[in-house]
Structures are given as C-alpha cells and as structure tokens.
Amino acid sequence: MISKKVILTGNFGVGKTSLFNRFVYDRFSDKYLTTIGVKVNKKVTHVDGEEVSILLWDIAGEVSQDKVPVSYFLGAAGIIYVFDLTRPLTYENMDRDIEHLRQLLPDSVIKIVGNKEDLLGSEDEIQQILSGLNHECNLTTSAKTGRNVEELFQELGKDLLERA
Amino acid sequence: MTSEKSIKGMGGKQPNHNDEMMLSMLRDILLREDREDIAEIRDALDDPDRLAEKITPIIEFHLETMKRKFPREYQKQVDRIVERKLKASQDELLDVVYPVMGKMVRKYVNHQFVSLKEGLDERMRSLFSAQGLKNRLKAMVFGVNEGDLLLGELEETKIEEVFLIERDSGILLGHYSLTETIDRDVVAGMLTAIKSFVEDAFSKERQDLEMIEYGTYKIYVQSFHQYYAAIILNGAITASYKDKLSKRLLDFAEAEMQNISLDGEFETNEQKLSARLADYFKE
Ligand SMILES: Nc1nc2c(ncn2[C@@H]2O[C@H](COP(=O)(O)OP(=O)(O)OP(=O)(O)O)[C@@H](O)[C@H]2O)c(=O)[nH]1
Ligand SMILES: [Mg+2]
C-alpha cells in the first residue's frame, strides 16, 4: 500500500475541517470551531482495487496562501484547495493562491473545490459563480449533504496513483 | 704439453673420458659469452634492486604518458559521471554521511559531557550532604565513581515508543511500542506538524526541534536528512541518557537505513523497520 500526504487548505471557514470530518468519519456539524495549527488524520481509500493511505492535513485557514507556513506543504503529494461558493472573499484571489501553491509543489496534484453548494439555490446559480472564477474549479461539494466528497477523494486518489 | 697428451689419448685407451673433456672445453669456449650473459640476466632478475633499476624507467615513462594523456581524454567524462551521480543520489549520499557526521558530533558532545561530569565529581568530593556521604560510602563499598552514581540515580527512564517518520510528509516509516498504539499514523503526522510548526515559528536559522515535553512524557527528536526519529520517554532525561539514545539512533541509522528506499512500498518497509526498531530499543 502506498501512503500519501494530502493538505486541505484555503480561506477561513470555507469548510476544510467539515470536508475532513465528512471524509474520515462521515459526519457533519453546524458548529464552527476554527482550526488552530494543524490536525492530521488518516483514511485508507480504495481506488480501482488498489489501496491508498491518505494522510490528510487539515490546516488553519489563511486569507492568502503565502501566509501558510511553508513546512506544512513539504512532502505533500496532493493539495485540496477549498473555497466557499457563497463568499466571494474566499475565491477572489484564487489565481494568485494556486500560482503560489504550484510554485511550492510543482509535482503535486492540486484539486480546487467549491464547497457549501447546498446553500446555493439552483444549478444555474452554481454555474454562474463558476464562470466568474479567475481559475478553473475541479469540483463543487457539500460537506453538509456529503455530495461529491467521496468523489473528490476518489479523483484525487486516482491522480495520486498515476503519479506514484 | 699435457694437453697434447690428452688429445692424443682421445683415440687411445679412454675415449669416453677424453671425449667428454673435449666437449666440455669446446662448450666452455663456444658458450662462455652466452653463459656469462645468462648469469648476468639471472643475477639481475634475482636482485630486486637491479631489476628495479632496469624496469623503473620504463614504468615511469608509461605512467608519465598516462598522467599526461589521462586528464585530457577522460577527465571530462569522469567529471560528468561523478556530477550526474552526485546529483541523482544527493539524498542517499546525505543519508550515508549523516550518521558518520552525527557520530563525530556525538563524540565531541560526549567529550564535553565527560568534562562536565568530571567537574561534578570535583564538586561532589567537597560535598558533605547526607546523600553525598551515602554516595561516598557506596562508592567506597562498590568501587564506583560518585559522579556515575549520581547520574545513575536519574537515569531510570523508560522508552515507551519509537517512531521513525519521513521528514516532510510525516508518513510513518517504522514504529516500536511497548503497548499497542491505535493511531500511530496520525500521531506520526501530528508530531511532524508540531515539529514543522515549532521549527518554522521559533528558529531564525534552520534548526531542528530536539525535545517536546508533554506532561510526564518527553519526546526526544533526532533529525536525519530524509527522516527523523521521535522517542517517547517517561521519566527524567539526563544529558548522558540523551547521548545514549542518540548513539543508538545513529547506530540504527547506519546499519538499517542505508539500504532502505524511502519512496517505495511503505508497508513492506514499515514491517521490516519496525522489527529492527524493536531489536534496537526494546529494553
Ligand atoms: N451549509 C454548509 N455549511 C458548511 C459546509 N461546510 C462547512 N460548513 C460550515 O461552515 C463553517 C466553517 O466550517 P469549517 O469546516 O470549520 O471551516 P474551516 O475551513 O475548517 O475553517 P478554519 O479551520 O477556520 O480555517 C461551520 O459552521 C460549518 O458547519 C457545507 O458544505 N454546507
Ligand atoms: Mg478548520
């Protein structure tokens, strides 16, 4: 089995911890407990019959990625960059953030995720936000309903295996 | 005149004897020079000094030509190979060098420690506390040095767990524990996160975290180039104890980590390394 370090990063309150909890424990809470420092957890996923052990680092949100301690990123094979579909402040500087991450970890898999899609009314509304982004988004998710969370990690696992 | 006689005698009563004499003389006459040459050569071959005298100039000449030609023809090639090899195996190289450097540093530190202990011995000699007297008595009875006794009392420290962790990713490479630990991958990850955080936040120049204290537990951390070891300890930790741990880790690194590929199958390595860790750290 291979082990990979994956980092959840993005702005404050976008739902990184919620995605982490949904993925690892399959649970959700409405309470907002901001993350201090880092929390690490592990989950073994099955991708095309192969096992991948994902060591997930849920780090404290920062308004911009260059404020995150660099050492947290070292050795990461994958990055999940999360923004909040309902708060423009969390995706306005997305292009700069992604550029920064690319430079830090040129060989890593980066997944860009718009979270809290359950709060948006219709598919049209989601599409409208996505078309206004300054960077491509890979997936929209809801940690609350669990929609696309498993898919996110499946896609990520597949990409990680391909690069292993 | 005698020779005439003997020549005459050739056809006489003792033809065999005279024939041989003649032949021998002939041989002597005809082959003398050759024989002398052969003897000369044999002498030269048997006498190392003389042999060297003859051969050395030839060898020197060839060596000289080699020396002159070699750099021009091969140096670039060799340089390129060495350079490529160094670049490709920088990490491996560092991991090979690390324990050696570590041992050198350790030796130095150990030396400092010994001098400290000596200073301590000195002070103890003038100490008249009850413990001091007791120690002195003990020392007299058992023939042990007082300083050793004092340090020995502090040294009852227990190794609870040993983690071997990939430096940046925090992925667990090997683990030894007295009891079964449930979330060792997670612990390894968190230790790495804490280590990263502390090293990031508090050190101006690059410096490695060495000790984390948590309640009665202490976590001794020793960094290598691509991985680090974290040893969870219960009890007081003296400099000499740290030194002992460090030495054991360096021995382990030298013996077990050189041939391990860190980006391979983690699980196979983990089982192997965990078993070896137990060999080194089980008390
Ligand atoms: N409706 C809805 N709420 C969500 C979703 N994901 C997270 N939340 C809520 O958003 C708030 C913040 O979520 P967290 O997961 O703590 O956010 P975070 O990114 O970890 O925040 P920091 O640790 O401070 O960086 C919490 O109140 C969550 O309940 C979602 O998909 N839908
Ligand atoms: Mg959080």
Side-chain angles (χ1 to χ4, degrees), chain A:
Chain A
M1 179 170 47
I2 59 163
S3 297
K4 294 286 173 189
K5 170 177 170 178
V6 172
I7 287 217
L8 272 163
T9 191
N11 222 305
F12 294 104
V14 294
K16 298 179 294 295
T17 303
S18 302
L19 285 167
F20 177 94
N21 287 336
R22 172 61 77 195
F23 175 61
V24 179
Y25 309 109
D26 198 22
R27 63 172 189 227
F28 177 80
S29 157
D30 274 316
K31 262 192 240 135
Y32 177 28
L33 263 171
T34 189
T35 305
I36 294 165
V38 194
K39 182 142 194 275
V40 181
N41 220 320
K42 185 184 88 156
K43 187 172 166 176
V44 176
T45 45
H46 298 261
V47 181
D48 300 334
E50 247 192 279
E51 280 189 327
V52 188
S53 162
I54 292 182
L55 211 65
L56 201 56
W57 287 43
D58 172 26
I59 62 181
E62 287 288 352
V63 282
S64 100
Q65 284 303 299
D66 51 22
K67 298 220 160 55
V68 181
V70 171
S71 52
Y72 287 166
F73 289 108
L74 297 178
I79 301 175
I80 301 174
Y81 178 87
V82 188
F83 65 93
D84 184 340
L85 286 162
T86 67
R87 284 156 60 216
L89 209 75
T90 68
Y91 54 79
E92 273 168 3
N93 294 321
M94 190 156 95
D95 51 348
R96 255 207 334 226
D97 276 353
I98 303 297
E99 175 67 32
H100 176 75
L101 296 176
R102 270 264 155 268
Q103 257 170 28
L104 269 185
L105 291 171
D107 297 326
S108 65
V109 174
I110 300 185
K111 291 280 169 207
I112 297 151
V113 175
N115 189 41
K116 306 195 189 177
E117 64 155 38
D118 60 287
L119 293 177
L120 293 176
S122 62
E123 189 62 31
D124 277 356
E125 208 178 328
I126 297 174
Q127 281 313 317
Q128 209 182 329
I129 294 168
L130 291 184
S131 60
L133 293 174
N134 56 24
H135 196 284
E136 146 196 53
C137 162
N138 298 106
L139 217 62
T140 59
T141 56
S142 166
K144 186 167 183 169
T145 68
R147 206 179 95 83
N148 272 346
V149 176
E150 193 52 43
E151 285 79 353
L152 165 66
F153 285 95
Q154 278 292 315
E155 274 187 28
L156 180 78
K158 216 175 275 180
D159 290 355
L160 287 175
L161 272 181
E162 263 168 35
R163 296 199 188 187

Side-chain angles (χ1 to χ4, degrees), chain B residues 8-275:
Chain B
K8 263 191 203 156
M10 257 178 80
K13 277 179 188 169
Q14 297 169 300
N16 284 341
H17 176 67
N18 285 328
D19 282 356
E20 255 169 46
M21 288 255 295
M22 277 296 289
L23 258 173
S24 161
M25 278 171 70
L26 256 170
R27 238 188 264 134
D28 280 349
I29 294 160
L30 292 174
L31 298 178
R32 195 178 58 220
E33 266 179 50
D34 286 350
R35 277 186 179 163
E36 275 170 12
D37 282 351
I38 288 170
E40 166 78 15
I41 291 170
R42 190 172 289 139
D43 275 359
L45 278 176
D46 285 346
D47 180 351
D49 289 339
R50 290 190 58 194
L51 187 66
E53 193 183 306
K54 296 270 183 212
I55 288 178
T56 310
I58 304 170
I59 295 177
E60 266 170 6
F61 172 75
H62 279 285
L63 271 177
E64 209 44 56
T65 333
M66 271 267 283
K67 260 193 243 161
R68 236 182 307 116
K69 281 192 176 167
F70 189 83
R72 195 165 359 108
E73 291 185 10
Y74 299 107
Q75 191 167 14
K76 264 198 192 137
Q77 202 72 15
V78 172
D79 280 356
R80 220 174 297 141
I81 293 169
V82 171
E83 202 176 304
R84 213 180 307 143
K85 190 85 197 137
L86 278 177
K87 257 189 204 139
S89 50
Q90 228 167 33
D91 284 343
E92 282 82 352
L93 211 72
L94 272 169
D95 275 335
V96 171
V97 175
Y98 224 109
V100 182
M101 280 183 352
K103 277 197 173 151
M104 273 158 56
V105 174
R106 208 189 61 78
K107 218 174 199 170
Y108 171 76
V109 173
N110 201 28
H111 172 77
Q112 294 295 318
F113 183 75
V114 167
S115 25
L116 182 91
K117 197 166 82 65
E118 279 160 4
L120 194 72
D121 289 346
E122 199 60 52
R123 218 173 306 160
M124 285 206 50
R125 250 171 234 125
S126 56
L127 199 72
F128 291 98
S129 70
Q131 187 62 44
L133 287 170
K134 209 173 99 194
N135 273 348
R136 294 180 81 172
L137 253 161
K138 253 201 213 172
M140 271 159 66
V141 173
F142 297 109
V144 217
N145 173 294
E146 291 162 7
D148 283 343
L149 274 177
L150 182 83
L151 292 169
E153 281 162 9
L154 296 170
E155 259 181 41
E156 281 158 27
T157 315
K158 220 168 87 194
I159 295 177
E160 301 274 336
E161 271 179 82
V162 182
F163 290 85
L164 205 64
I165 302 167
E166 195 178 42
R167 190 173 177 139
D168 294 329
S169 67
I171 290 169
L172 189 68
L173 298 173
H175 175 255
Y176 157 72
S177 174
L178 279 176
T179 52
E180 199 45 53
T181 330
I182 345 154
D183 272 345
R184 46 182 204 240
D185 290 293
V186 175
V187 174
M190 278 313 282
L191 276 174
T192 309
I194 293 167
K195 187 172 175 295
S196 302
F197 176 76
V198 173
E199 284 170 7
D200 242 43
F202 299 114
S203 65
K204 299 276 173 281
E205 66 268 27
R206 200 161 164 72
Q207 234 182 11
D208 294 323
L209 174 75
E210 199 200 80
M211 188 73 91
I212 302 169
E213 298 204 13
Y214 185 82
T216 58
Y217 288 99
K218 292 177 183 66
I219 304 170
Y220 173 76
V221 177
Q222 183 157 331
S223 294
F224 293 84
H225 179 58
Q226 294 184 84
Y227 53 91
Y228 72 95
I231 304 184
I232 321 263
L233 302 157
N234 199 351
I237 296 166
T238 59
S240 79
Y241 189 81
K242 259 198 240 176
D243 192 53
K244 214 166 69 186
L245 279 185
S246 171
K247 183 180 171 348
R248 233 187 282 178
L249 277 172
L250 287 166
D251 286 344
F252 179 86
E254 199 172 27
E256 309 296 334
M257 296 304 286
Q258 309 285 6
N259 302 316
I260 292 278
S261 153
L262 292 184
D263 43 34
E265 288 273 309
F266 280 100
E267 207 159 64
T268 359
N269 278 344
E270 192 187 326
Q271 281 164 7
K272 200 161 64 190
L273 285 175
S274 298

